[in-house]
Amino acid sequence: MAFKLDGNPLAVDVPFTYGDINYPANWLRLSTADEKTALGITEVADSPTYDSRFYNGDGSAKTLTDTNQVDENGDPVLDENGDQVVTLGVKSVLKAQEKTTAGSLLARYDWYVVRKAEKSTAIPTAISTYRDGVRTACNTRETEIDACADTAALVTLYSSKDDGTPNMTQYPDDPNS
């Protein structure tokens, strides 16, 4: 909850002065509703917060799909190479993040692949299985993202069930952790 005094915001845990009286930082927490009302302090609901992956600051849903940019005349906006400028939608951004995550999970064990190429030393089965699982999970997660028809479906996908189980396919556990 936020508080206001004479239309001005009052920060919790910050001392303030009203009239000739200095109030300590903990006064808003310790005072009763009647004491606040007697001073003219009003409670104001906190501004809603939105998950910035899916929503703009005003709460409107971000565009899910990629958008070709056009100028004020409706003509395509081109880059320095003459290619259409495209603004990535939420789905493209999320899928790129999945690729980055998978890449970092795989990178930890890339040295096994290099060693196999250079010295023909076999990659341990647990590592090979893990790397295959990471690639499969990434592909599945991208498919799950693409299958979402609207923002609400994406929010649900990225949340968890009541028991804490994620709705989205999870990456495999690291074999060395």
Side-chain angles (χ1 to χ4, degrees), residues 6-122:
D6 292 337
N8 297 314
L10 281 178
V12 176
D13 295 330
V14 175
F16 66 97
T17 302
Y18 186 67
D20 294 333
I21 301 174
N22 294 322
Y23 294 88
N26 63 353
W27 192 86
L28 287 172
R29 288 195 188 277
L30 299 177
S31 60
T32 65
D34 289 338
E35 290 171 321
K36 291 180 189 108
T37 302
L39 250 174
I41 296 174
T42 56
E43 286 191 43
V44 182
D46 291 327
S47 299
T49 57
Y50 303 98
D51 189 328
S52 62
R53 293 175 296 180
F54 313 113
Y55 298 101
N56 297 306
D58 64 1
S60 61
K62 290 182 177 180
T63 304
L64 295 182
T65 56
D66 298 347
T67 306
N68 291 334
Q69 291 301 297
V70 295
D71 63 18
E72 59 278 353
N73 297 323
D75 297 325
V77 175
L78 306 177
D79 65 14
E80 62 277 353
N81 298 323
D83 298 323
Q84 171 76 54
V85 175
V86 177
T87 300
L88 297 179
V90 173
K91 288 183 178 185
S92 290
V93 170
L94 292 173
K95 290 190 298 185
Q97 290 171 351
E98 291 302 329
K99 286 180 183 359
T100 300
T101 299
S104 69
L105 293 172
L106 291 171
R108 179 177 302 143
Y109 297 108
D110 282 351
W111 70 272
Y112 282 108
V113 177
V114 172
R115 182 180 73 173
K116 177 166 176 53
E118 290 179 355
K119 301 291 185 180
S120 298
T121 304

Side-chain angles (χ1 to χ4, degrees), residues 157-172:
L157 179 64
Y158 274 82
S159 61
S160 297
K161 298 177 179 114
D162 290 338
D163 65 359
T165 306
N167 291 322
M168 183 179 254
T169 299
Q170 296 300 289
Y171 286 101

